[in-house]
Amino acid sequence: MNKRRRVPAMAPEDRRAALIAATIPLLREYGAAVSTRQIAEAAGVAEGTIFGVFPDKATLLRAALMSAFDPRHAVDALQAIGTRDGLRERLREAVATIRAGMKANANLLSVPRELMAEDAGFGQRMMEGRRRIEAALAALMEPDRDRLRRSPEAAAQLLLMLTAVSVHRGFDHAGGFADMEDEEIVSVLLDGLLVRPLPDPDRESPC
């Protein structure tokens, strides 16, 4: 008979981190329906241990969601891109980084709605994380500000939206963006949707 894997005694903060780490993949698989028993088994602790660290299941799920959506990893990766390469190359790398994170958390998007109502500050923290990613994207575009039709801040919002609709089907009701690759997302932002320039009637010779 398989015995539950017990973790050694640890400090409260370490135990909290271990429970959050065990909860994230279960949230991705089961959503908010995940049980505390499943979490305890994954963490290798008794179910009662959870409530010695978190007052209730909802608080643990919110902590796990905040960890899963923590923008620090994405922001650090975007800052590491630097500004040495061309704008297009920088943004392709940025889109690849952001899409990877979005795909990992795609199944979690429906979960926050169930928990936000119970914690007024939760939604605000989620939005603050999005703003930090937008700011990191804007910093990548800042050296090319004079080449952009809109500000780097506005362009960053557009790029994040384009990336989101290429990953999350709920944002793309017609299914027209699910097959977009990183390079196409950047091209749509920088070049628009035309595959070739329209003729300029002012430059055409009169008939």
Side-chain angles (χ1 to χ4, degrees):
M1 182 175 61
N2 293 331
K3 293 183 179 180
R4 182 188 290 126
R5 176 183 57 86
R6 295 285 184 176
V7 297
M10 57 180 69
E13 282 303 309
D14 293 335
R15 189 179 298 114
R16 184 179 190 276
L19 286 169
I20 289 172
T23 301
I24 291 172
L26 293 172
L27 262 177
R28 288 171 175 157
E29 184 173 358
Y30 299 105
V34 63
S35 69
T36 53
R37 179 184 59 79
Q38 289 173 305
I39 294 170
E41 289 179 353
V45 300
E47 191 171 358
T49 301
I50 293 174
F51 301 107
V53 181
F54 296 94
D56 50 41
K57 172 185 164 182
T59 304
L60 169 55
L61 295 189
R62 279 193 290 269
L65 282 169
M66 288 306 302
S67 180
F69 286 106
D70 189 336
R72 285 180 295 179
H73 302 300
V75 169
D76 289 346
L78 293 174
Q79 290 175 343
I81 293 173
T83 56
R84 289 175 295 179
D85 295 327
L87 176 62
R88 198 174 297 268
E89 290 74 16
R90 275 179 263 144
L91 295 186
R92 275 201 295 261
E93 189 173 346
V95 168
T97 296
I98 294 169
R99 286 183 89 189
M102 286 184 173
K103 286 179 179 178
N105 289 329
N107 292 338
L108 298 182
L109 276 189
S110 61
V111 178
R113 298 191 189 100
E114 302 172 21
L115 298 173
M116 280 183 185
E118 303 174 25
D119 182 350
F122 180 72
Q124 295 175 357
R125 293 192 296 274
M126 293 284 288
M127 290 305 299
E128 177 58 28
R130 179 187 177 91
R131 285 191 287 268
R132 288 178 60 188
I133 292 175
E134 288 178 351
L137 281 172
L140 286 177
M141 303 186 209
E142 182 60 37
D144 296 273
R145 175 183 285 270
D146 293 343
R147 300 174 60 198
L148 298 173
R149 183 175 298 169
R150 297 282 179 172
S151 69
E153 293 74 20
Q157 292 178 12
L158 283 171
L159 184 60
L160 204 56
M161 285 190 289
L162 282 171
T163 306
V165 297
S166 76
V167 174
H168 302 303
R169 294 182 180 179
F171 297 161
D172 180 16
H173 301 292
F177 299 98
D179 61 344
M180 292 181 75
E181 299 293 338
D182 300 343
E183 185 170 356
E184 185 180 4
I185 291 172
V186 174
S187 179
V188 168
L189 178 74
L190 297 181
D191 307 319
L193 289 170
L194 292 177
V195 294
R196 61 179 64 86
L198 289 173
D200 186 346
D202 293 334
R203 295 184 179 181
E204 290 183 353
S205 301
C207 297

